[in-house]
Amino acid sequence: MENCLREMVWKKDRQICEAYLACNGKHEHEAIVTFLKLTQPQTSQGLHIVHIAAEIAPVAKVGGLGDVVLGLSKALQRKGHLVEIVLPKYDCLQEDQITELKALDVAVESFFDGQLFKNKIWVGIVEGLPVYFIEPHHPSKFFWRGEFYGEHDDFKRFSFFSRAALELLYQAGKKPDIIHCHDWQTAFVAPLYWDIYAAKGFNSARICFTCHNFEYQGTAHFSELSSCGLDIHRLNRPDRMQDNSAPDRINPLKGAIVFSNIVTTVSPTYAQEVCTPEGGRGLHGTLRLHSKKFVGVLNGIDTDSWNPSTDIILPVQYSADDLQGKAENKRALRTQLELSSADAFQPLVCCITRLVPQKGVHLIRHAIYQTVELGGQFVLLGSSPVAHIQRDFEGIASHFKNHPHVRLLLKYDDALSHMIYAASDMFIIPSLFEPCGLTQMIAMRYGSVPIVRRTGGLNDSVFDVDDDTIPVQYRNGFTFLTPNEQELNNVMERAFKYYKKSPENWQKLVQKIMRLDFSWESSAQQYEELYEKTVTRARAAANV
Ligand code: ADP
């Protein structure tokens, strides 16, 4: 019991905070019963949960969102819930990852720009999960762009999709308990649901909204909102969807915060950061106003697909009990990338990331040179949607083109990412902000020790090996706070020293981090509890 409670404290599980507050003034034995309840498995009836999202790995993945929709859905399904997912039918879907994909014999008509458009509905199975794909028959060919995002009309594309997704659920006669939407692209679902669909009697569900990154809010001129049928006059108000800094703009993310029953973000620390003027990107006031329904739940990772002992992409599988395979993966990667293999013990520092300002690109660049300075090797896998950053890194890549110790691979390559996680000794993440971050958890699962800046989810999952204020069993990496080159030098020097001083201790650290549990189980349980609470409240209200 003690271990279980301690772990909940470390994961900043909100139940433990609530239990603590509930115990105020109670007798000791009552307090013990309250805490004991937290450690016992919850029994629940299955809920019907529908995720409406712009990504699901591996068929449509740009970043962490795709991983989260997949991992959370699978974990909820394992807990006995009926989970369905609705996505756009992009032309660039990885269809080989979908089984039994077929077009349904129905056309769902949905409203946009004053008229009805037909949508072809496809259904298929992704890693055991039923997924509906919506293919709009709209002259703008919204999802035939060879890209997921980044189009000039993204606001139109995704407001169309949000409306069509709700129309599909409504016309199919579904009665979900929870509709869970993600990020600004599907934020329109919340106001659409309460303003249009609940009035039609489609009101069984409560809305959960997860913001994976407050940097992306999807604002547009307010006139654009009416296309999907939302009422500008009702919604373009400071307490509803009007952007907090530009009154002529509408903010879908704000709309989802106002209109959802549950609002979450992807780590407890980030949840605190976004409630401050520096972190909230203009939405801190709105979040504070709705703080009762706002909570941070740390993401997990899909431990089936990220598992070094079964990962068929790797040249050699390995586990914490048998690290020989890890050394062989390092050798194989060095050979493949034509890096020097002269010293098997030379530390390999890696980084896999989108190269965007949030990730601390100037510090990533600095880490490359600092690694060489410290006698290590560096591999970067990353690409940038920002032209000048991509150009800058192309310059560095060509500078190191034939270098024995540095390789920059400026592309997105899932298979290669697995090989890099497996080969690396250290993994660097110097983000300026990081809502949750998955790469530190994947890196640890593959035995690569994280070196991270203490922000957002990195602060909730990486604890410095030299920090005496942290219980030894939780220490699992190297951290720094101030995002400058000096601090980065210091933390990298500490990591290299630790690595070189005692190979035995390093190996113990590697084994320890590989055994940590970053699965979705405990996070999915937190979502399950949030869902159940809101559903119970809704049912109680309906029975009054
Ligand atoms: P974000 O969502 O901000 O991009 P996360 O750390 O939450 O960052 O998730 C990143 C995910 O994308 C991880 O699964 C990581 O392995 C993957 N990834 C990032 N860049 C690349 C790349 N260039 N090639 C392959 N996978 C990548």
Side-chain angles (χ1 to χ4, degrees):
M1 168 185 167
E2 200 183 316
N3 276 349
C4 171
L5 290 176
R6 191 176 294 135
E7 190 167 328
M8 289 173 89
V9 172
W10 273 97
K11 290 196 167 160
K12 297 190 183 144
D13 191 318
R14 50 195 282 286
Q15 287 182 87
I16 201 133
C17 174
E18 282 170 9
Y20 176 76
L21 294 172
C23 287
N24 194 6
K26 280 191 183 169
H27 289 300
E28 193 182 330
H29 72 274
E30 283 178 296
I32 291 172
V33 169
T34 308
F35 281 103
L36 202 58
K37 266 195 201 149
L38 292 181
T39 66
Q40 282 159 2
Q42 309 275 320
T43 49
S44 69
Q45 283 184 339
L47 296 171
H48 181 183
I49 301 154
V50 179
H51 287 273
I52 302 178
E55 293 183 37
I56 185 169
V59 295
K61 170 174 159 174
V62 177
L65 169 63
D67 292 313
V68 172
V69 174
L70 179 74
L72 175 60
S73 299
K74 278 169 74 174
L76 289 167
Q77 191 188 53
R78 272 197 299 274
K79 285 176 175 292
H81 302 291
L82 168 60
V83 185
E84 297 177 298
I85 295 134
V86 187
L87 234 78
K89 174 100 172 32
Y90 301 102
D91 57 346
C92 48
L93 283 178
Q94 291 244 307
E95 285 193 15
D96 56 331
Q97 305 280 355
I98 311 172
T99 49
E100 297 170 37
L101 180 64
K102 55 176 189 283
L104 296 183
D105 206 11
V106 290
V108 168
E109 286 193 328
S110 64
F111 176 94
F112 205 71
D113 280 335
Q115 45 178 313
L116 291 175
F117 291 93
K118 282 199 167 64
N119 295 278
K120 190 168 173 178
I121 308 297
W122 298 73
V123 64
I125 308 290
V126 175
E127 302 215 359
L129 294 161
V131 185
Y132 292 95
F133 297 97
I134 296 182
E135 180 187 334
H137 287 196
H138 186 281
S140 298
K141 297 197 172 307
F142 285 135
F143 301 109
W144 289 85
R145 309 289 180 83
E147 298 275 357
F148 298 111
Y149 312 120
E151 297 289 292
H152 69 282
D153 56 350
D154 275 0
F155 190 96
K156 272 197 188 312
R157 296 169 74 219
F158 288 100
S159 56
F160 182 99
F161 168 66
S162 297
R163 175 89 200 225
L166 278 174
E167 198 60 47
L168 165 65
L169 301 180
Y170 173 58
Q171 290 188 25
K174 290 187 184 284
K175 294 201 166 22
D177 298 298
I178 294 289
I179 297 175
H180 192 152
C181 18
H182 301 262
D183 280 350
W184 77 262
Q185 287 86 356
T186 55
F188 305 94
V189 166
L192 280 169
Y193 180 78
W194 291 116
D195 272 12
I196 295 175
Y197 286 89
K200 295 186 191 197
F202 176 48
N203 59 2
S204 61
R206 288 298 172 266
I207 309 286
C208 178
F209 175 75
T210 298
C211 180
H212 299 253
N213 192 332
F214 280 86
E215 176 112 320
Y216 307 106
Q217 303 185 1
T219 64
H221 190 265
F222 69 81
S223 56
E224 294 231 18
L225 190 65
S226 58
S227 293
C228 68
L230 286 170
D231 181 345
I232 297 179
H233 301 293
R234 235 182 74 70
L235 296 171
N236 187 24
R237 290 178 19 176
D239 60 340
R240 296 191 179 155
M241 291 185 78
Q242 187 178 81
D243 189 64
N244 291 341
S245 35
D248 62 336
R249 294 184 79 75
I250 209 84
N251 187 325
L253 196 58
K254 177 172 164 183
I257 296 168
V258 173
F259 283 91
S260 298
N261 302 88
I262 308 166
V263 180
T264 75
T265 191
V266 289
S267 70
T269 298
Y270 188 57
Q272 286 172 2
E273 289 169 355
V274 293
C275 288
T276 65
E278 309 79 57
R281 299 289 192 272
L283 285 176
H284 56 284
T286 309
L287 286 168
R288 284 198 195 151
L289 214 59
H290 293 272
S291 62
K292 279 207 181 109
K293 61 182 180 188
F294 179 52
V295 60
V297 180
L298 190 68
N299 285 336
I301 54 169
D302 181 5
T303 44
D304 298 334
S305 42
W306 295 113
N307 183 352
S309 64
T310 55
D311 190 334
I312 48 167
I313 295 171
L314 303 184
V316 187
Q317 286 76 42
Y318 63 99
S319 67
D321 299 322
D322 174 19
L323 284 175
Q324 185 51 35
K326 182 157 176 69
E328 286 173 34
N329 281 297
K330 184 170 168 181
R331 193 173 324 128
L333 185 77
R334 284 165 141 187
T335 308
Q336 183 180 331
L337 301 182
E338 296 179 3
L339 289 167
S340 163
S341 300
D343 174 8
F345 188 64
Q346 184 181 16
L348 178 60
V349 183
C350 297
C351 179
I352 299 174
T353 188
R354 291 182 299 123
L355 290 164
V356 289
Q358 167 200 337
K359 303 289 178 181
V361 277
H362 64 294
L363 294 175
I364 294 173
R365 188 193 307 124
H366 183 74
I368 300 171
Y369 294 93
Q370 179 65 5
T371 299
V372 176
E373 186 80 19
L374 291 168
Q377 288 184 318
F378 198 101
V379 171
L380 168 77
L381 174 63
S383 60
S384 185
V386 186
H388 74 92
I389 299 180
Q390 181 75 10
R391 261 199 317 275
D392 190 15
F393 276 80
E394 277 165 6
I396 307 172
S398 71
H399 172 76
F400 284 111
K401 198 162 168 243
N402 298 313
H403 197 282
H405 302 303
V406 177
R407 207 57 82 237
L408 271 60
L409 307 143
L410 302 179
K411 58 178 175 178
Y412 184 93
D413 186 333
D414 187 57
L416 190 53
S417 79
H418 286 243
M419 282 148 67
I420 295 174
Y421 284 118
S424 66
D425 296 301
M426 300 173 201
F427 201 90
I428 192 123
I429 316 173
S431 303
L432 303 183
F433 72 95
E434 192 60 75
C436 175
L438 300 176
T439 58
Q440 77 279 16
M441 302 189 213
I442 304 171
M444 285 191 263
R445 184 134 169 93
Y446 282 69
S448 179
V449 177
I451 303 173
V452 310
R453 178 162 177 264
R454 281 202 302 281
T455 179
L458 297 169
N459 185 52
D460 296 323
S461 55
V462 183
F463 307 102
D464 200 290
V465 296
D466 292 324
D467 188 341
D468 294 338
T469 64
I470 293 167
V472 175
Q473 68 265 34
Y474 294 108
R475 298 187 209 165
N476 57 2
F478 296 87
T479 69
F480 68 106
L481 189 58
T482 315
N484 63 30
E485 295 180 359
Q486 188 52 49
E487 286 250 342
L488 184 63
N489 288 349
N490 293 345
V491 73
M492 289 184 72
E493 271 164 32
R494 278 201 296 122
F496 271 67
K497 219 186 232 169
Y498 198 105
Y499 181 85
K500 289 188 176 150
K501 192 172 162 198
S502 162
E504 293 75 40
N505 281 348
W506 187 267
Q507 185 173 319
K508 276 191 199 137
L509 179 60
V510 168
Q511 288 172 320
K512 175 180 171 179
I513 62 177
M514 287 183 75
R515 292 188 179 119
L516 294 174
D517 179 11
F518 288 114
S519 72
W520 265 102
E521 292 317 306
S522 81
S523 312
Q525 191 182 323
Q526 290 185 54
Y527 275 106
E528 187 180 46
E529 279 151 14
L530 290 169
Y531 294 162
E532 269 162 5
K533 254 190 204 162
T534 189
V535 167
T536 308
R537 229 178 285 137
R539 285 183 189 152
N543 290 333
V544 172

